[in-house]
Amino acid sequence: MGIRKKAIPNGNLLQTPPKQVGHNRVNALWLAFGEGLVRIGHSTQPPNEEIPMKLYFSPGACSLAPHIVLNEMNQAFEFEAVDLKNKTCASGDFTKINSKGAVPTLKMENGEYLTEGAVIMQYLADQKPELGLLPKFGTLERYRALEWMNYIATEVHRGFSPLWGAEKVMNATFTNPTTENIDNFKKFHMDNMGKKFDYINAKLANNDYFMGKNFTIVDAYMFTVVGWTKYLNMDISKWSNISAFMDRVYKRPAVQKAMKNEGILK
């Protein structure tokens, strides 16, 4: 289900009554974002069965990656959207849940909260090791996967940061920066990202996924952050292996489900 268009002030909540679907109960909670509503509190589970985990997310943010992983696991969980600007969610003040005020945040089975997306995904993969979402403990393959996770977090994910707020950065650094100054700033960082994409594209030359033929948490993370290029009008068609990878991952049912749940795919 995509974003439902309706004029409701940002941050206002609507809740639909539970609906019985076979032996399952479906609850939906919506939070106003921009021009529409994003479903933020949804669960499908047998009546009276407690959902052990909850993912706090923001539509299209890096929290999409663990959302995909949870779906790949066929894991029962709740998800709740966070208004990152105001640091609020359906539960109230989000900073009381995660003092960093950032997503993703995962409420674990023991009631504690785990933060940082790369770590959350490792934790999730280890809950069902038989799925192979992360290679086995002690193997070189596992360290290769973690090598990729660290690279994505520190080089790719972080590399996009200056591009999201280029105007704000330039205005805070210089007095009355010109449009040319801002454009040059963006070009510098886009060129820097291009060098990283050269490396990534080469690594995908002979593989469907980053660890070979099998989908892992690495792919969920890379798909999420590279997906931001479309919001920044960055054309990735010249990196044919990356483009093919993005199409391949996009078609996965777990990915489609996560994107629909977040309202970024109708």
Side-chain angles (χ1 to χ4, degrees):
M1 186 178 294
I3 297 178
R4 295 169 53 186
K5 300 294 184 181
K6 192 171 183 180
I8 295 176
N10 282 351
N12 283 3
L13 300 174
L14 292 181
Q15 186 163 16
T16 59
K19 298 179 181 179
Q20 197 73 23
V21 181
H23 295 292
N24 292 334
R25 185 176 70 252
V26 178
N27 298 284
L29 187 61
W30 303 78
L31 175 63
F33 273 102
E35 297 179 351
L37 295 175
V38 174
R39 183 169 58 184
I40 65 168
H42 174 88
S43 63
T44 302
Q45 81 268 21
N48 303 319
E49 180 178 315
E50 183 179 354
I51 294 295
M53 288 192 278
K54 176 185 283 189
L55 177 69
Y56 294 86
F57 76 99
S58 181
C62 55
S63 48
L64 175 63
H67 198 158
I68 291 170
V69 172
L70 283 159
N71 287 341
E72 289 283 349
M73 296 167 61
N74 196 27
Q75 175 71 44
F77 68 104
E78 293 179 337
F79 53 91
E80 187 169 316
V82 177
D83 180 343
L84 292 176
K85 181 179 180 180
N86 297 309
K87 306 300 181 186
T88 57
C89 59
S91 301
D93 182 355
F94 180 61
T95 61
K96 292 182 179 179
I97 294 171
N98 179 0
S99 58
K100 300 174 187 175
V103 295
T105 298
L106 181 73
K107 183 177 182 180
M108 299 181 290
E109 294 175 334
N110 63 1
E112 294 184 20
Y113 294 95
L114 188 64
T115 65
E116 304 302 327
V119 175
I120 289 172
M121 284 183 276
Q122 291 174 54
Y123 168 80
L124 292 173
D126 285 337
Q127 303 312 297
K128 292 188 177 182
E130 68 276 9
L131 297 180
L133 289 168
L134 190 60
K136 295 179 180 179
F137 280 107
T139 63
L140 178 59
E141 288 77 12
R142 186 180 182 93
Y143 294 110
R144 290 298 184 196
L146 298 181
E147 179 181 30
W148 270 116
M149 293 295 283
N150 194 66
Y151 179 78
I152 298 170
T154 60
E155 299 295 328
V156 188
H157 186 165
R158 186 179 180 185
F160 278 108
S161 297
L163 294 169
W164 289 119
E167 290 83 359
K168 183 177 180 180
V169 171
M170 291 296 289
N171 283 313
T173 307
F174 302 99
T175 301
N176 299 320
T178 65
T179 299
E180 183 180 4
N181 294 149
I182 296 173
D183 288 343
N184 287 337
F185 177 85
K186 290 180 179 178
K187 184 179 184 303
F188 172 83
H189 287 285
M190 282 194 174
D191 289 346
N192 187 44
M193 290 303 298
K195 294 175 184 177
K196 300 180 194 306
F197 287 168
D198 287 341
Y199 170 75
I200 295 166
N201 194 67
K203 290 295 183 179
L204 282 170
N206 300 310
N207 294 318
D208 290 340
Y209 300 107
F210 283 91
M211 296 305 296
K213 298 297 181 183
N214 298 321
F215 181 90
T216 67
I217 62 174
V218 176
D219 305 297
Y221 196 5
M222 188 70 82
F223 172 82
T224 296
V225 295
V226 174
W228 296 337
T229 55
K230 63 180 177 289
Y231 301 113
L232 296 167
N233 296 317
M234 187 174 183
D235 183 9
I236 63 170
S237 61
K238 65 176 286 187
W239 296 285
S240 58
N241 296 329
I242 294 177
S243 295
F245 164 80
M246 294 297 288
D247 289 341
R248 189 176 300 117
V249 176
Y250 175 81
K251 293 175 182 177
R252 295 182 70 87
V255 175
Q256 297 269 313
K257 182 179 179 180
M259 296 178 74
K260 287 178 181 178
N261 284 342
E262 296 195 7
I264 53 179
L265 179 66
K266 294 182 180 180

